[in-house]
Amino acid sequence: HVQLVESGGGSVQAGGSLRLSCVASRFTYRDACWGWFRQVPGKEREGVARIDSDGSMTEYADSVKGRFTISQDNAKNMVYLQMNGLKPDDSAMYYCAAAGVHCFRGYWDRWSFGFWGPGTQVTVSS
C-alpha cells in the first residue's frame, strides 16, 4: 500500500525557515496531486499548498502566499515545502497528502486526497 512519510519539522524562531520533505513509497500512479496540510488541536485540518505532478499548477493558502513554496521531484516521488518568514501562527502538525489524479481545479480540502503521512511538528516561537 502507499506510504507517505514527512520529515524536516522542528522548532524555530519567528522569521526563520524550515524545509519539509515527503517521500511516497509504492506510489505507482501516473498522475498525482500533492498537498501539504496543517492542523492544530481543536481546529480543522487546513490546506497549505498543493501542486500537480505535471507542473501545471500550484496553489497556496492566502496565509502562506509569498512565504511558502511547494515543489516536487517526480523521479523520486518526493514533495517539498520550503517555509520562510515563519510566524508563531504557522505552528502546527504538518501533513503530506497525495491523490492519484491531477489536481481538481477550484475548491480543495482534505477530502481531495486519499493518502496521508503521519505528520511532522513545526513549532515557531516568538
Side-chain angles (χ1 to χ4, degrees), residues 101-122:
V101 294
H102 288 299
C103 296
F104 294 114
R105 271 40 177 176
Y107 177 78
W108 59 288
D109 60 17
R110 62 180 297 178
W111 307 111
S112 305
F113 297 86
F115 304 108
W116 292 87
T120 185
Q121 179 68 39
V122 171

Side-chain angles (χ1 to χ4, degrees), residues 73-94:
D73 184 333
N74 287 329
K76 297 180 180 179
N77 266 352
M78 293 195 70
V79 62
Y80 307 95
L81 186 68
Q82 178 66 44
M83 306 187 295
N84 299 327
L86 283 163
K87 306 174 181 179
D89 283 349
D90 294 319
S91 297
M93 185 71 79
Y94 281 72

